[in-house]
Amino acid sequence: MNIMHLAIVSSVSQRISTRFRLILLINILALLPMASFAQETEQDTVAAAPAWPEDSLGRRTPRGTVTGFFSAVADQDYTKAAFYLNLISPIDTIQDGAATAKALQRLLDQNSRFLPRSWISNEPDGRLDDDLPPNLERVGSATLDSLQIDLVLEKTEGAEGGPIWLFSAETVRKIPVAAVGAEATVIEKTLPNFLEDNNLGGVPVGHWIGMLVIAIISYLAAWGLTSALAWLIHYIWRKTREEPTYGVIRAFSLPIRLYLTAVILVMLSQRFGISIILRQRFSEFTIIVGLVAVLLLLWRLVDAIANFSRRRLTHRNNMAGISIVLFLRRAAKVALLVIGSIAILDTLGFDVTTGLAALGIGGIALALGAQKTVENFVGSVTLITDQPVRVGDFCTVGNTSGTVEQIGMRSTRIRTSERTIVTIPNGDFSSQKIENFAFRDRFLFAPALRLRYDTSPEQIQAVLSALREILASHDKVDQGSARVRLTEISTDSLKVEIFTYILTSDFNEQLEIKESLLLRMMEAVNTQGKGFALPAQQLLVTENGNSKADHRKDISDTSPEV
């Protein structure tokens, strides 16, 4: 198998570049051990597969037992439903089992709380984390004359081997066959006989109508509660009458109303005695409504926090902070969509674990072909979290200098001094040397002045004193770092170095201050000394009358070196 993989890689690699060929070969070779391990695991799984056949009634798992029981009672086939009960004694007749199954349905209709179908384990071993013995599975509870009855499934061994889940003997023993059904439920007292006698899907038509009416009543009750609560908050806390607080409360009212509707619907349907078959069919729907309400609440909470933060940051003119808020809002919404989709699919009974595994394998394949995209995404996260630059900062990145205009998910845009836009991928941007001029609190002022050789020591002292006085008299010069020193006697000039900082963060202001200081220093050099060293040309005459020009350049310009 490994030789076949290598042959395929070799044939494909002839048509691609050398660099990509190497990367592809390394990735496939790295995945080959994983494939071998997966093959061995698959073989072990096949070897460990159960030897028993499928149960014709689907009782191998707790969910299968509950589904089969409700399907049988919906068809009013109580003889079949009896096979889902662990009858107390083997001498019980089929008629006794059918009567017990019918009594159990009646008990569930009257006042019971049953787990939704998707919450019941679909594994042969059941749930092992419910603090119950491994052979027991609790699926709900019922109340009869203030007596609490736990609805428990127990695992037994079938005639052909393997687990068979049944309603436990203890649960069956607690079902009083004679007492159940003695009192009519609320909906039975309300509905006329023709709505009770006609069935739709194993449920009386009146129960369908009753469930619809209860859903409407639940929504109206939830609407009334949320409206009353909002009015009470407005009355007590007057600030909520103004934006943005009022907008936040209004945004939260809908998801809270939906969640309360689902809760009230479940409670009223149990209290009014809606058929357990219909309630079980609607259980997944109510769970999805609750999940959507929670997700919608979190979604609007993210929007409310993001809008509030953006208004605050806009007021402070913090454009980088706005970019971070927008990025976090998008990331949070994507996470909510992913989590919500997984939760809804799991509620509907889909195998989410297998789907996530498939997504993981597909993610590996996608990552191999989208390395640059992932690199740019990671680079954008680095730029937003580390903040080496922000929107509006003047910076130098590599050979590009300009003002940052936008930090996106894939690239960053810089407006250069030529008024052009340079777009740099965030992966490259974050890996380069970044020099940010926006955080500079002062400017360096360090010109080097070259004096003429014929300047006397007394004149040099006078020039140095005048230069020091110029720095000391300016209020924008950092006195703590200011110094003026004669540092070098070179072959063509006397070098005086000046070092200090200009106390301003504005570029144009520092240019104005620098210009003023340089003009005053030029005046001091010309009045107190002999002036600056100038470019000179010396002519040498030899004995034979030939001349040779010797060019000696004292400085590169007639102005002070800065």
Side-chain angles (χ1 to χ4, degrees):
M1 180 178 178
N2 295 347
I3 296 176
M4 293 179 61
H5 279 84
L6 293 175
I8 294 173
V9 172
S10 300
S11 62
V12 175
S13 61
Q14 294 176 0
R15 298 178 176 85
I16 55 179
S17 63
T18 303
R19 181 179 178 183
F20 184 76
R21 184 189 312 161
L22 179 61
I23 295 175
L24 183 61
L25 183 60
I26 291 174
N27 281 281
I28 293 181
L29 289 177
L31 290 176
L32 285 179
M34 297 175 60
S36 301
F37 175 77
Q39 184 179 10
E40 294 175 0
T41 304
E42 182 180 359
Q43 294 175 355
D44 295 340
T45 303
V46 172
W52 56 80
E54 287 293 332
D55 181 61
S56 59
L57 298 177
R59 299 171 297 177
R60 295 296 187 189
T61 65
R63 184 185 297 179
T65 297
V66 171
T67 303
F69 176 79
F70 285 136
S71 177
V73 297
D75 297 335
Q76 296 184 358
D77 189 353
Y78 297 105
T79 301
K80 179 181 178 180
F83 288 99
Y84 294 92
L85 308 179
N86 191 2
L87 298 178
I88 300 174
S89 172
I91 63 174
D92 289 333
T93 62
I94 296 298
Q95 290 77 12
D96 292 337
T100 304
K102 187 173 183 179
L104 177 58
Q105 179 198 8
R106 184 66 178 170
L107 177 64
L108 296 177
D109 288 343
Q110 287 179 339
N111 190 6
S112 67
R113 291 176 295 278
F114 212 89
L115 289 181
R117 177 179 176 275
S118 60
W119 289 9
I120 302 174
S121 175
N122 199 31
E123 298 295 331
D125 293 332
R127 292 186 58 184
L128 302 178
D129 57 350
D130 53 0
D131 297 330
L132 290 175
N135 64 323
L136 297 181
E137 188 87 4
R138 187 177 184 274
V139 293
S141 63
T143 303
L144 180 62
D145 297 332
S146 69
L147 176 64
Q148 184 78 17
I149 301 176
D150 288 332
L151 304 175
V152 179
L153 304 180
E154 64 179 344
K155 182 171 61 174
T156 63
E157 185 175 356
E160 298 178 344
I164 296 294
W165 287 89
L166 303 172
F167 282 91
S168 67
E170 182 68 18
T171 300
V172 173
R173 186 183 63 81
K174 292 181 179 179
I175 300 174
V177 179
V180 174
E183 183 180 355
T185 60
V186 176
I187 193 168
E188 291 174 344
K189 295 177 181 179
T190 306
L191 295 177
N193 293 332
F194 73 93
L195 291 179
E196 280 285 344
D197 296 337
N198 296 315
N199 289 346
L200 178 62
V203 180
V205 176
H207 286 235
W208 290 93
I209 299 175
M211 180 64 82
L212 178 61
V213 173
I214 291 174
I216 296 174
I217 294 174
S218 300
Y219 181 79
L220 293 177
W223 178 81
L225 289 175
T226 53
S227 300
L229 181 61
W231 179 84
L232 184 62
I233 293 176
H234 293 336
Y235 181 78
I236 297 176
W237 190 15
R238 298 184 180 275
K239 187 178 179 180
T240 57
R241 301 177 183 179
E242 304 174 356
E243 292 288 350
T245 310
Y246 176 73
V248 173
I249 295 178
R250 184 175 55 188
F252 289 172
S253 61
L254 178 59
I256 294 176
R257 188 182 308 156
L258 289 176
Y259 190 82
L260 285 177
T261 300
V263 173
I264 297 173
L265 175 63
V266 173
M267 295 175 58
L268 292 182
S269 62
Q270 294 174 357
R271 181 64 61 181
F272 289 170
I274 297 293
S275 173
I276 184 61
I277 301 172
L278 185 58
R279 280 192 280 134
Q280 196 69 5
R281 291 175 180 175
F282 270 85
S283 61
E284 295 176 351
F285 172 75
T286 55
I287 293 175
I288 292 176
V289 171
L291 286 175
V292 171
V294 174
L295 292 174
L296 184 60
L297 177 63
L298 296 176
W299 185 283
R300 294 195 171 188
L301 180 62
V302 169
D303 278 335
I305 295 176
N307 293 333
F308 177 77
S309 302
R310 187 168 58 178
R311 282 192 292 267
R312 295 287 297 272
L313 294 173
T314 302
H315 181 71
R316 299 176 182 177
N317 199 24
N318 189 347
M319 303 304 296
I322 294 176
S323 300
I324 295 175
V325 168
L326 295 178
F327 172 78
L328 293 177
R329 183 177 68 176
R330 287 194 294 266
K333 286 186 174 182
V334 170
L336 286 176
L337 287 176
V338 173
I339 295 174
S341 300
I342 292 175
I344 291 174
L345 289 175
D346 183 65
T347 301
L348 294 175
F350 291 94
D351 190 356
V352 181
T353 305
T354 305
L356 291 178
L359 289 177
I361 297 174
I364 294 175
L366 181 63
L368 293 176
Q371 296 181 16
K372 283 296 181 181
T373 303
V374 176
E375 179 183 354
N376 292 331
F377 177 76
V378 174
S380 65
V381 174
T382 303
L383 290 176
I384 292 175
T385 55
D386 192 36
Q387 293 190 27
V389 293
R390 298 175 297 181
V391 176
D393 291 352
F394 186 87
C395 65
T396 298
V397 182
N399 298 325
T400 304
S401 298
T403 303
V404 179
E405 286 202 347
Q406 181 181 356
I407 301 177
M409 297 293 294
R410 193 197 71 85
S411 61
T412 297
R413 297 181 181 180
I414 295 180
R415 175 81 67 176
T416 65
S417 301
E418 299 291 336
R419 306 305 298 165
T420 60
I421 291 291
V422 177
T423 302
I424 304 175
N426 288 332
D428 297 335
F429 193 100
S430 60
S431 62
Q432 295 188 41
K433 177 183 177 181
I434 302 174
E435 185 177 5
N436 192 343
F437 297 94
F439 293 98
R440 181 166 52 185
D441 58 346
R442 60 187 66 184
F443 287 84
L444 176 66
F445 181 70
L449 308 181
R450 298 183 181 272
L451 308 182
R452 292 175 53 175
Y453 246 115
D454 57 349
T455 305
S456 65
E458 291 78 8
Q459 290 175 324
I460 293 176
Q461 288 288 352
V463 170
L464 295 177
S465 298
L467 295 177
R468 292 177 182 133
E469 179 62 28
I470 291 173
L471 296 179
S473 62
H474 204 290
D475 59 347
K476 289 291 186 178
V477 172
D478 182 25
Q479 304 301 325
S481 61
R483 64 176 183 269
V484 179
R485 295 295 180 186
L486 176 64
T487 59
E488 183 182 353
I489 301 176
S490 62
T491 57
D492 50 18
S493 64
L494 305 174
K495 185 177 179 181
V496 176
E497 290 186 355
I498 302 171
F499 183 91
T500 189
Y501 287 99
I502 299 176
L503 301 178
T504 182
S505 59
D506 184 77
F507 183 77
N508 292 324
E509 184 180 2
Q510 71 90 19
L511 287 179
E512 181 180 354
I513 297 172
K514 185 177 180 179
E515 177 186 84
S516 174
L517 293 174
L518 289 175
L519 290 174
R520 293 176 62 185
M521 289 178 179
M522 289 178 62
E523 181 180 0
V525 170
N526 291 326
T527 56
Q528 302 295 331
K530 292 289 188 177
F532 296 99
L534 301 175
Q537 187 179 35
Q538 187 177 19
L539 182 64
L540 300 178
V541 181
T542 60
E543 294 180 356
N544 56 9
N546 296 328
S547 62
K548 181 179 180 181
D550 182 15
H551 297 277
R552 177 178 298 170
K553 190 173 184 181
D554 294 327
I555 56 176
S556 60
D557 193 27
T558 56
S559 62
E561 180 182 343
V562 180

